[in-house]
Amino acid sequence: MSETSSALRQFVNSARWRPKRSLSQWSERLIKIVFGTFALISILTTLGIIFSLVFETVEFFKEVPVWRFLTDTQWTPLFVNPQYGIIVLICATLLTSVIALLVAIPLGLLAAIYLSEYANPRLRRWLKPALEVLAGVPSVVYGYFALLFVTPILQALIPGMETFNALSAGLVMGIAILPIMASLSEDAIYAVPQSLRQGAYAVGATQRETITNVVLPGALSGIVAASILSVARAVGETMIVTIAAGQNPRLTLDPRVSVQTMTSFIVQVSLGDAPVFSIEYKTIFAVGMTLFAMTLLLNIFSFWFVNRFREKYE
């Protein structure tokens, strides 16, 4: 009798839980399908962007030789005698980006070290959101801030400073990308295990020595990733350089003069009267493809460096 009741109890329990187990399996499958769909959408979006750039870029290079595109030293695609030296726009883009990174990377890293290692928890809860508020300021506002506030100060301090110049655009762009560098670096530094810090203190290291010799090397992969992301953000910035740096394409490394970056040229042609499918219209796709290739190479380098660093220290 006891064996029969035990078998009956097992049958009831199995019958009771079978629908729930089946429902759980279906929910797991549904979640996988939904998440896989979202991942596929992101991949398809990237492929769509690439194809939209490649098709028009190929049409552009049917009319303009690649060698001419890479070696001309002037960029005048909208003139009567057009020239297509992309090096002019690349040089201006790199000039403003380097200035921005000279501001954002040191200040962002120092801010991250202070927030993670020196600030008390209550102050950190206030400072980090306050710093990240800068990321929410529209880039148009930064552009007019550079043009109407920073540029007059620079003109009073530096002789020969033009109204539109690369220096003020780069400085303000550095402030704009500062929250990205500081926030991501702070997360990487904060994620370093506390046991590493305690081990350094146990052998007599000071807090400064612990930070420089233990914490920063442990967070180096995250800091490099934050730096690469900041570089990509600086290279792709549009409104700040369009408003503050001007739209004068010239091959120069003088930050006091007006220059034109790749993104500001795209804005200029997009807002102009260039007929669709004309050679002037196709230049924005060639410039956009160049910009996409630059940011892609930066991301590949970041991925390679982070993986190499992890393999070295694992």
Side-chain angles (χ1 to χ4, degrees), residues 157-184:
L157 299 175
I158 303 174
M161 182 70 66
E162 297 182 3
T163 301
F164 298 98
N165 60 85
L167 183 58
S168 63
L171 293 175
V172 174
M173 187 162 58
I175 298 174
I177 65 179
L178 177 62
I180 297 176
M181 182 66 196
S183 181
L184 296 180

Side-chain angles (χ1 to χ4, degrees), residues 104-172:
I105 291 181
L107 294 182
L109 185 57
L110 291 175
I113 293 173
Y114 174 77
L115 289 174
S116 178
E117 302 299 318
Y118 291 100
N120 60 65
R122 179 178 298 180
L123 184 61
R124 181 177 179 271
R125 285 196 298 268
W126 282 96
L127 284 181
K128 189 173 182 180
L131 180 64
E132 292 175 347
V133 166
L134 292 174
V137 177
S139 58
V140 175
V141 176
Y142 279 119
Y144 283 111
F145 172 73
L147 179 63
L148 302 178
F149 183 80
V150 177
T151 297
I153 296 176
L154 295 178
Q155 287 177 328
L157 299 175
I158 303 174
M161 182 70 66
E162 297 182 3
T163 301
F164 298 98
N165 60 85
L167 183 58
S168 63
L171 293 175
V172 174

Side-chain angles (χ1 to χ4, degrees), residues 278-297:
S278 64
I279 185 63
E280 295 85 359
Y281 172 80
K282 294 174 184 177
T283 55
I284 64 176
F285 293 94
V287 174
M289 191 66 195
T290 305
L291 186 62
F292 178 82
M294 291 174 61
T295 55
L296 179 62
L297 290 176

Side-chain angles (χ1 to χ4, degrees), residues 228-284:
I228 298 298
L229 185 60
S230 299
V231 173
R233 172 71 171 80
V235 171
E237 174 56 42
T238 302
M239 294 310 300
I240 297 177
V241 293
T242 301
I243 296 173
Q247 297 182 359
N248 187 5
R250 62 175 77 177
L251 186 61
T252 180
L253 294 177
D254 188 354
R256 301 174 302 170
V257 300
S258 174
V259 295
Q260 186 176 47
T261 65
M262 290 187 285
T263 53
S264 62
F265 171 77
I266 294 174
V267 172
Q268 179 187 6
V269 176
S270 299
L271 297 179
D273 299 326
V276 178
F277 303 123
S278 64
I279 185 63
E280 295 85 359
Y281 172 80
K282 294 174 184 177
T283 55
I284 64 176

Side-chain angles (χ1 to χ4, degrees), residues 13 48 85 88 181 203:
N13 290 335
V88 177
M181 182 66 196
V203 298

